[in-house]
Amino acid sequence: MKEVITPTSKSYKEYLISSLQDVEEAAAYLETFLESNEEGREPEVLRSALKDIIDSRLAANNLSETAKQKYQQLEQMLSENSGNHLYTLIEFLDALGYRIKLEVKDS
């Protein structure tokens, strides 16, 4: 595990965007929002987390057109149903004894 250094001169948002450029950090960050229990779910927070990851990729000039298009589709879906479809899938998998785990793809 990496040693965490608290930002001092940068704003938290700048620090977050910078740290999310590491694909392992981004995967762990997003996974925490997908694992939240029903009481802790806030669809706007999940949308914000996804936006943070998109912003970090844009800052690194590392976002494909396909990813941009898929993000726009996902953003529209999440805005229309507050992520209920996504959370229903996660709850269904949980009931079957599974959980969502994000892994970085091999390049």
Side-chain angles (χ1 to χ4, degrees):
M1 184 161 169
K2 290 183 178 181
E3 182 179 323
V4 176
I5 300 171
T6 306
T8 54
S9 61
K10 294 181 182 179
S11 73
Y12 173 74
K13 185 71 170 184
E14 289 170 337
Y15 172 77
L16 177 63
I17 297 304
S18 174
S19 69
L20 292 177
Q21 290 176 8
D22 178 307
V23 293
E24 295 286 339
E25 292 280 334
Y29 179 71
L30 186 55
E31 192 169 31
T32 62
F33 295 99
L34 295 175
E35 290 179 342
S36 62
N37 62 23
E38 193 168 343
E39 297 83 39
R41 287 193 192 132
E42 295 184 35
E44 289 304 314
V45 176
L46 175 61
R47 289 174 67 195
S48 178
L50 291 167
K51 177 82 168 92
D52 290 340
I53 291 171
I54 293 300
D55 289 347
S56 73
R57 292 286 185 100
L58 287 170
N61 198 26
N62 186 17
L63 187 66
S64 69
E65 283 302 316
T66 301
K68 286 179 189 176
Q69 291 171 353
K70 294 300 178 186
Y71 171 70
Q72 290 171 348
Q73 291 172 348
L74 180 61
E75 175 62 23
Q76 182 175 350
M77 182 186 81
L78 291 174
S79 68
E80 290 172 357
N81 68 35
S82 299
N84 289 332
H85 292 42
L86 180 61
Y87 286 125
T88 299
L89 172 63
I90 292 168
E91 290 169 357
F92 170 67
L93 293 173
D94 182 59
L96 293 175
Y98 300 103
R99 72 180 186 126
I100 298 287
K101 180 177 179 180
L102 296 178
E103 291 185 13
V104 177
K105 289 175 32 177
D106 293 332
S107 302

